[in-house]
Structure formats: structure tokens, C-alpha cells
Amino acid sequence: MSNADFDFLFGTWRVRNRRLREPLAGSSEWVEFDATSVARRVWGGLANLDEFEALDTPWGEIHGMTLRLYDPKSEQWAIYWGNRNNGRLDVPMTGQWVNGVGEFYDQELFRGRMIYVRFLWTTDGPDAARWEQSFSGDGGKTWETNWIMVFERTAS
């Protein structure tokens, strides 16, 4: 674990998205769409920032930004997501990298009830990465993956 955990992400990416249309509703309908992402180092690596843009999705355009902040004392990351539609940063996901997997959690309100949310990050060499988001409506006993992003580098 270090402030270099996300160094693989710096650069420009084509992102293939696969997203469950209705999370935690028994849905099995997945929607696919393309996006771009550009990530860069901030504060000498103690933070990083990426911009995400998907122009053609069933939910309309998605213009988002991720801010990741590293705490050297806890050796954990806080990941904040913000989008243009609401103009604010969401509650941070918190976690760390262990054995090549980044695992991050938060608790948030979804359809009127509190749920757990998990992000998983993995890499497959310098030019490929994968991100997954899962929800748990039962306190973490079971997880439903609802969004998968597969990253393919287009420029460093």
C-alpha cells in the first residue's frame, strides 16, 4: 500500500461500461456504453484526479470526476465521486490495496434505505484495468455487482 497504488491509472482511457439497469430490484438487464477517462497525479502522488465522460447512456450524459486522497498514516485512500448534474462530491469510499486488489467501501442512501457499496479495482498490466461497483442491501452478507468498467489505455 502506498501513494503509488493508482499510478497505473494516469493517462487517457477508453472505458467500456456494463451497468445493471435497476440495481437491487431483481433485474438482470444490463446496458452497455462507452466512455472516456483521463487521470492525472496531484500533490506529488498523495492525490489523483480523473475526469469521466459518457455521452450516450440510457441515463443521459454522464460527466463525472473522481478525487482520490491518500492518507499516509492509515495507508488508506478516500475516493470522492462528483458529477456535473448535482455539483457536489459524494460521501467518500474508503479502503486500500492488498495483493493487487483495491477494495473500498461506504454506506449510503439508496431508494430510501441505507446500503453498503463496494468498489473493486484490479489491473492487468500497464494498459488494462477493471473497476466494479457492488451494492449490498443486507448489511454486507450478499453483494450484487451493478456496474463494471473495463479500461483500455489510449495514451499515457
Side-chain angles (χ1 to χ4, degrees):
M1 296 173 291
S2 76
N3 64 318
D5 291 332
F6 282 100
D7 282 3
F8 71 90
L9 196 55
F10 303 145
T12 303
W13 300 83
R14 176 183 175 267
V15 184
R16 186 69 184 147
N17 292 265
R18 188 167 184 255
R19 189 170 169 184
L20 193 59
R21 186 175 291 275
E22 295 291 330
L24 296 181
S27 173
S28 61
E29 182 183 354
W30 289 85
V31 176
E32 295 189 6
F33 58 93
D34 289 322
T36 59
S37 179
V38 179
R40 65 183 180 89
R41 175 182 285 114
V42 180
W43 298 342
L46 289 176
N48 60 68
L49 183 70
D50 72 53
E51 295 178 73
F52 177 88
E53 185 176 72
L55 301 178
D56 186 20
T57 83
W59 303 275
E61 292 184 4
I62 301 172
H63 298 269
M65 177 180 71
T66 307
L67 171 64
R68 297 176 193 87
L69 302 171
Y70 182 73
D71 179 348
K73 290 179 185 168
S74 69
E75 297 184 326
Q76 291 188 316
W77 289 90
I79 302 175
Y80 298 84
W81 167 257
N83 73 62
R84 187 175 75 177
N85 292 339
N86 65 15
R88 64 177 172 80
L89 294 174
D90 290 344
V91 173
M93 305 289 292
T94 304
Q96 60 195 17
W97 287 79
V98 177
N99 298 323
V101 177
E103 198 165 351
F104 308 90
Y105 293 90
D106 83 353
Q107 190 174 13
E108 59 191 64
L109 192 62
F110 180 75
R111 295 189 181 143
R113 65 185 177 127
M114 294 304 288
I115 64 165
Y116 287 115
V117 181
R118 178 181 66 198
F119 290 174
L120 293 177
W121 271 102
T122 56
T123 63
D124 189 18
D127 297 324
R130 180 182 171 100
W131 171 89
E132 289 185 13
Q133 174 180 272
S134 299
F135 289 173
S136 176
D138 60 10
K141 293 176 189 155
T142 61
W143 292 91
E144 177 186 77
T145 300
N146 60 58
W147 196 344
I148 300 167
M149 294 183 189
V150 176
F151 290 70
E152 180 182 307
R153 185 177 304 281
T154 60
S156 297

